[in-house]
Amino acid sequence: NEYSQYTLPHASHAHHNNKFKISWDNKCVATLLLNDTVFCDGECVEGYLSLYTPCLVKVSLVHTEQCGAQQTHFTKCCSAQQCCWYVPSFTFSLKIPTSTFKSFKSDLCESLWSLHFEFAVCKYLLGNKQ
């Protein structure tokens, strides 16, 4: 079997505010449901992934600091992973650390939080799913 790993930093919004479709090469890999899209220190980002193909999944809570166009620093705060070969879903809870940098944007720098998804998917299975 041939496997590839993909980091999908962006998901497209579906009709519901906290529901997102995650796609690769115009094929839906998963649907993501989140408990909210705005969080405070110490709260948990809770999510549910409904998967359309068997895969390995890793979800990470990442803080990004960017100063100018050249300097970017990523900090992976926490992550959850699961093998989803036989169960087509994945539930995760990632706690936002207390006393961390808030999200902001100025003319000199930017600080933001995001979820990063990694999927290890069999190319053969992904190619046959519609």
Side-chain angles (χ1 to χ4, degrees):
N1 288 335
E2 189 174 4
Y3 297 94
S4 295
Q5 186 171 341
Y6 304 99
T7 300
L8 304 174
H10 302 288
S12 61
H13 265 287
H15 299 297
H16 190 271
N17 286 340
N18 299 340
K19 184 177 181 180
F20 305 86
K21 284 189 176 183
I22 300 174
S23 301
W24 178 77
D25 198 27
N26 295 323
K27 293 177 178 67
C28 190
V29 176
T31 299
L32 170 67
L33 295 173
L34 291 176
N35 59 327
D36 203 346
T37 56
V38 178
F39 299 91
C40 297
D41 294 359
E43 290 185 338
C44 288
V45 178
E46 295 176 356
Y48 173 81
L49 277 171
S50 176
L51 301 159
Y52 295 100
T53 188
C55 60
L56 302 173
V57 181
K58 182 175 183 180
V59 182
S60 300
L61 180 62
V62 177
H63 179 250
T64 305
E65 300 172 54
Q66 184 167 353
C67 297
Q70 300 295 325
Q71 297 179 349
T72 303
H73 178 73
F74 298 96
T75 304
K76 187 183 299 185
C77 297
C78 56
S79 61
Q81 59 188 15
Q82 184 169 323
C83 177
C84 300
W85 290 121
Y86 302 106
V87 179
S89 64
F90 174 46
T91 304
F92 62 89
S93 181
L94 303 173
K95 186 174 181 177
I96 298 173
T98 56
S99 304
T100 59
F101 292 106
K102 311 292 186 253
S103 295
F104 71 90
K105 186 174 185 175
S106 73
D107 57 343
L108 298 176
C109 59
E110 182 177 12
S111 170
L112 60 96
W113 290 89
S114 60
L115 292 175
H116 288 217
F117 296 88
E118 297 175 69
F119 297 88
V121 180
C122 177
K123 286 184 182 181
Y124 172 77
L125 290 174
L126 186 61
N128 289 334
K129 296 287 181 177
Q130 294 294 331

